[in-house]
Amino acid sequence: MAAHLKKRVYEEFSKVVQVEEAPAKKLRLTKPSKSAALHIDLCKASNPTDALQYLLHFARSSVEAESVEGVVRILLEHYYKEQDNSVRLKIASLIGLLSKTQNFNPESILDDTLNTFNTEKSHQVLAQLLDTLLVIGTQLPESLIVRHRLIEVAYKHLSDTYFGVRNKCLQLLGCLGNVDTPLNKDGQGLVPAVIGDAQSLISDYFADQDPRVRTAAIKAMLQLHERGLKIQQTIYDQACQLLCDDYEQVRSAAVQMVWVLSQLYPESIVPIPSSNEQVRLVDDSFGKISHMVSDGSWVVRVQAAKTLRKRTAHERAKELYASGEFSSGRKWADDAPKEKVDTSAVNLIASGACGAFVHGLEDEMYEVRIAAVDALSALAQSSASFAEKCLDFLVDMFNDEIEEVRLQSIHVLRQISTNITLREDQLDTVLAVLEDSSRDIREALHELLCFTNVSTKECIQLALLELLKNLTKYPTDRNSVWKCLKFLGCRHPTLVLPLVPELLSTHPYFHTPEPDMDDPAYIAVLVLVFNAAQSCPTMTALFSDHTFRHYTYLRDSLSHLVPPLRLPGRTQAPGVSGIEGSGSVESAQLFLQQSLSRISTIHNLQDPGAQDLLNFTIRDLQRLGELQTELAGAADFSATYLRCQLLLTKALQEKLWTMAVPLCLKHNAMATAAAKQMLEETYKLEFLYSGLENRQVATIHHVRLQAKALQLVLTARTRRGVEPLISVCEKFLQEVESFQRLFVVELPHLQESFVGKLLDLSPKLSACKPGELVKILQTTLRQSGFLNLQLPKQVQRASATIIEPTGESDNPLRFTSGLVVALDIDATLEHVQDPHNTVKVQVLYPDGQSHVIQPKPGDFRSPGPHRHRLITQVYLSHSAWTEACQIEVRLLLAYSSSRLCKAVWSDSSTEGLQPAEGATEGTIPFGKPVKVFIMPKPARR
């Protein structure tokens, strides 16, 4: 009886608690009530202008997903009351905007939105409502019922007299029209069967009286094509007629339509107007598009020029053959050999191609000229003979009046440089660009000369003279000119050989004066000669004694420009070992693999001799990266990974874990520092290297998880009580679960590793207490096997070199305190992914202040593949100093979990790597910093 009474009292008490908690729950949910605030604002509006102001203000505020449906209800309630068209149009626009809210299902407001069409009479509002339906439809691409209901509305309003309504209907048909099998009458009774043939209806509007509707119809048909619908060949005649339309946008869209049809039906036969002849559709379309390059509108000319560089059907068939895609068996003889294209039998003049390119390159609008240059580039890359024929035209474009056209012409010639050899007259025209005042133009030309072949030694001499003039006129081009001469010497050793006595000013009988080693021009000549001598052993016999001394000096100071040479009768130059020289890449690659194989013999981190082996291997890999630049990325990546394992090995020493914490404070601090350094190194491994595969990313996250487990164990040893450990343990278990979810494909390779053993114990881990979890982690860390590193095919390390400021000047940069002074920054970036968002400039002042500057997107140039150039200004300011001091300028690489999906969690345990607003996790310094003297002077009174 007492137990029954006790149970009744407990039930009554629970009901009281629930009744008391219910109001609090409701208050929390209704706290951010956007709908109520909007309702009050709209009720206060006394005229349409006020209502528009309230709606515009509301559009700038954010709405939670759970509030969207209520807000739409309020908007529609006022929609039906409002008489002003502009207010209703804004409400319709807001509904479309709200339907894009993240985690909101717009299907819940579809019926209410469709009901507005029953009463709406304004054409402009109808167009906006259709646009809202398009937004809703694109948010629900998988719902066939929703899509068919929206298409039904579009069919119903296609006959509207207002062009805007017809445009939106056609756009809706193009984006949501059925590209699968046509619907039958049993398709939920929503739409008649004719909806399946959307393109026949859209093609009817090619002849609409309004040119905007004709444009919308063509674009809707192109949209269907992009979504997978094969356009009927009968539309080709209509598209050709639209090429003569009075409206430029119609002609531009028609050019795209003609090209699409030429790719779908290239071998179809079409008649030639006013003739009994017939040609292939692809040839007919090429002639028509070539003719459009001479169109009266520059918009059409740009579109036609861009279309000319698209791939032909023969090129695509060649790619299919190369990729190994064979016959599917569904079509008879689809694997029959295609006709081989004979380049000598193709009559380009008859098809109008030559005239098209000439018209495009000489067009008055620079946009057309750029498009024509791009078209020439695309065709020249696929045909060496065509590249030679168009070379003169591209070189002539170097003299264009628009800098963008000149720059694009240089880039294009760089892309096809492997297929051409410049004559002396052509080289003379190219080198004239070196006098251009634009730094981008000059550096792009230097990059072009690096990969250009010339025909005679006079060309080499001419190029050297012009580059030396460039060096004299623009001293800041020093590094770019030196690099250019390095590649010129490597590519033309036999042409440089007869010029060596003249270039080095040597004489067979008399001693010549020793040139000044501080002269950049003399260094430029030596860079050319030394790189040519690498492939021409007889050249060193022409060197004088001081040339050998200068080689030794430059080999040490400019090792990236001066190659290792085997000098007759002399000892090998410093830095030259068996791993360098010709054929050294293969031997270095073998050495790298042997080093990693030697490490794979470690089965457990506590094995005797594991630390010594790791130390020796890290030293070897670091030296390998210094000697072989081609393998520097892979060697540094491997060394950094092994350094993490070495830190973990030292932190897990027996002495640390068998003694009480007060007796081993020094070792405990060492383990804490090791765990922190391991985390920092894992971020460098993940974000500082490119070319990583999922296997390597999983290995990096495995090391990061080991470092976090070590931090958790150390935290448990130094803190008292269980409460601080509960949240840390829960977070660690979540990270283990995230690792399992992200790298499920790689789990079979992690069986004996730390994570593999944790996943085997996952049921036990989720149920154990924090103290037990810490013991399990400590034991697993010490007993887990060594995880071998599998290198991908190509690993590149992001690097940065600050060219300006040099940091060599002792003259301080003076400015008035409280004001600002601009410091020019010029840096080269190698293998940096998305530099516009990741590269930042940091300025460190002597008093500890630090400023981080985000360069503008326009400050970045891309002179070549995987290379970027940063040219920007940072503004310095400080209070007055008594004497000049140095500031430090460095480049940072920012990483963010929102930009790189590889970073799936943030770390609160490492200083400097904590996530900030916008999910930015931290920055990594890369590149050597530069110190600059500055002197803020007190203001004069």
Side-chain angles (χ1 to χ4, degrees), residues 599-613:
I599 287 293
S600 64
T601 59
I602 300 178
H603 299 292
N604 191 285
L605 294 175
Q606 300 301 310
D607 290 345
Q611 288 192 32
D612 293 337
L613 183 57

Side-chain angles (χ1 to χ4, degrees), residues 497-512:
L497 178 61
L499 299 175
V500 169
E502 180 181 354
L503 295 178
L504 298 181
S505 301
T506 58
H507 194 275
Y509 307 116
F510 302 105
H511 288 292
T512 55

Side-chain angles (χ1 to χ4, degrees), residues 529-780:
V529 173
F530 290 153
N531 281 278
Q534 187 180 19
S535 304
C536 186
T538 59
M539 192 179 296
T540 56
L542 303 176
F543 292 176
S544 58
D545 290 338
H546 64 258
T547 305
F548 290 110
R549 294 197 304 271
H550 294 169
Y551 164 77
T552 304
Y553 170 75
L554 291 179
R555 176 61 187 155
D556 288 337
S557 58
L558 298 174
S559 58
H560 63 290
L561 294 174
V562 178
L565 298 178
R566 294 187 178 274
L567 305 179
R570 294 175 180 266
T571 58
Q572 267 189 333
V576 181
S577 62
I579 205 168
E580 286 189 277
S582 59
S584 61
V585 177
E586 293 78 7
S587 60
Q589 183 73 40
L590 180 61
F591 179 79
L592 176 61
Q593 295 296 336
Q594 290 174 348
S595 300
L596 295 179
S597 299
R598 187 168 61 247
I599 287 293
S600 64
T601 59
I602 300 178
H603 299 292
N604 191 285
L605 294 175
Q606 300 301 310
D607 290 345
Q611 288 192 32
D612 293 337
L613 183 57
L614 286 172
N615 274 317
F616 293 147
T617 308
I618 291 172
R619 183 198 62 187
D620 292 343
L621 292 175
Q622 289 175 339
R623 183 58 176 160
L624 176 64
E626 295 172 0
L627 297 178
Q628 269 299 342
T629 56
E630 293 86 351
L631 296 177
D636 292 343
F637 181 82
S638 304
T640 305
Y641 173 75
L642 295 181
R643 193 178 301 114
C644 292
Q645 299 297 324
L646 181 61
L647 289 169
L648 184 61
T649 304
K650 292 180 178 180
L652 295 176
Q653 287 178 352
E654 184 75 21
K655 183 179 179 181
L656 173 65
W657 306 101
T658 57
M659 297 175 61
V661 175
L663 299 178
C664 57
L665 292 177
K666 181 179 179 182
H667 293 281
N668 200 74
M670 182 273 295
T672 304
K676 177 184 175 182
Q677 187 178 352
M678 282 179 63
L679 284 172
E680 294 174 352
E681 296 291 348
T682 58
Y683 285 110
K684 291 180 182 179
L685 286 172
E686 185 173 5
F687 298 100
L688 207 56
Y689 295 86
S690 58
L692 302 182
E693 300 171 356
N694 198 49
R695 181 80 171 270
Q696 288 76 45
V697 178
T699 304
I700 295 169
H701 280 262
H702 176 268
V703 177
R704 190 175 302 164
L705 209 55
Q706 287 179 306
K708 292 182 177 181
L710 179 60
Q711 284 186 333
L712 177 55
V713 174
L714 293 171
T715 302
R717 287 171 58 85
T718 55
R719 293 184 185 179
R720 294 182 179 180
V722 181
E723 293 298 329
L725 293 178
I726 295 178
S727 60
V728 182
C729 291
E730 289 179 352
K731 183 179 179 182
F732 180 80
L733 292 177
Q734 291 174 0
E735 290 169 352
V736 174
E737 183 182 353
S738 299
F739 184 95
Q740 182 181 13
R741 185 176 64 254
L742 285 172
F743 304 109
V744 63
V745 180
E746 305 299 331
L747 292 181
H749 305 290
L750 307 173
Q751 292 292 334
E752 297 299 323
S753 66
F754 171 71
V755 173
K757 294 188 176 182
L758 282 185
L759 293 178
D760 293 339
L761 300 172
S762 56
K764 183 179 178 181
L765 293 178
S766 57
C768 66
K769 296 179 180 179
E772 297 175 359
L773 175 62
V774 170
K775 292 181 180 179
I776 292 174
L777 291 179
Q778 179 177 335
T779 305
T780 310

Side-chain angles (χ1 to χ4, degrees), residues 64 79 81 165 232 272 309 334 349 357-358 434 441 523 560 565 622 647 704 752 834 855 873 900 904 941:
E64 295 78 9
Y79 176 90
K81 297 177 182 178
V165 175
Q232 299 173 1
I272 300 178
R309 69 170 184 265
D334 62 349
I349 298 178
F357 287 124
V358 171
L434 288 173
I441 294 289
I523 294 178
H560 63 290
L565 298 178
Q622 289 175 339
L647 289 169
R704 190 175 302 164
E752 297 299 323
D834 192 20
Q873 283 186 331
L900 295 175
V904 293
R941 297 184 178 178

Side-chain angles (χ1 to χ4, degrees), residues 340-349 383 385 389:
K340 184 177 179 180
V341 176
D342 185 3
T343 55
S344 61
V346 177
N347 190 350
L348 294 178
I349 298 178
S383 172
S385 60
K389 294 177 182 177

Side-chain angles (χ1 to χ4, degrees), residues 445-482:
L445 192 65
H446 296 158
E447 186 76 16
L448 167 64
L449 291 175
C450 288
F451 300 95
T452 298
N453 300 315
V454 296
S455 53
T456 62
K457 65 182 181 66
E458 286 76 15
C459 292
I460 293 291
Q461 196 169 21
L462 177 63
L464 177 61
L465 290 176
E466 292 299 326
L467 286 169
L468 294 180
K469 290 180 183 178
N470 174 202
L471 192 60
T472 303
K473 189 174 182 179
Y474 301 102
T476 56
D477 291 354
R478 181 181 63 181
N479 290 282
S480 183
V481 170
W482 287 351

Side-chain angles (χ1 to χ4, degrees), residues 290-443:
S290 299
H291 179 72
M292 298 306 292
V293 177
S294 305
D295 192 88
S297 169
W298 70 271
V299 176
V300 181
R301 298 199 298 271
V302 168
Q303 184 60 51
K306 288 180 178 179
T307 307
L308 280 178
R309 69 170 184 265
K310 298 293 182 69
R311 297 180 306 161
T312 64
H314 184 75
E315 290 170 336
R316 293 201 318 278
K318 182 180 179 182
E319 287 188 5
L320 287 177
Y321 172 76
S323 64
E325 296 184 12
F326 299 104
S327 169
S328 63
R330 296 181 179 179
K331 184 179 178 183
W332 175 256
D334 62 349
D335 58 344
K338 303 291 189 297
E339 176 188 359
K340 184 177 179 180
V341 176
D342 185 3
T343 55
S344 61
V346 177
N347 190 350
L348 294 178
I349 298 178
S351 62
C354 295
F357 287 124
V358 171
H359 281 295
L361 294 174
E362 297 178 354
D363 197 277
E364 60 180 342
M365 303 298 294
Y366 81 93
E367 295 91 346
V368 181
R369 299 200 296 274
I370 289 177
V373 167
D374 290 340
L376 277 176
S377 168
L379 295 177
Q381 290 182 54
S382 60
S383 172
S385 60
F386 186 80
E388 295 177 2
K389 294 177 182 177
C390 69
L391 182 58
D392 287 327
F393 296 99
L394 288 174
V395 170
D396 287 342
M397 298 305 293
F398 285 14
N399 299 319
D400 196 275
E401 60 184 1
I402 302 297
E403 178 181 336
E404 189 175 349
V405 179
R406 299 198 301 272
L407 188 61
Q408 186 63 24
S409 302
I410 295 173
H411 288 325
V412 163
L413 196 57
R414 157 72 181 86
Q415 294 170 3
I416 65 173
S417 58
T418 55
N419 295 334
I420 58 174
T421 300
L422 289 178
R423 303 190 307 269
E424 188 171 353
D425 59 318
Q426 294 170 335
L427 182 64
D428 192 28
T429 305
V430 169
L431 293 174
V433 184
L434 288 173
E435 299 181 3
D436 199 294
S437 60
S438 170
R439 186 172 191 165
D440 293 339
I441 294 289
R442 298 196 306 273
E443 291 185 352

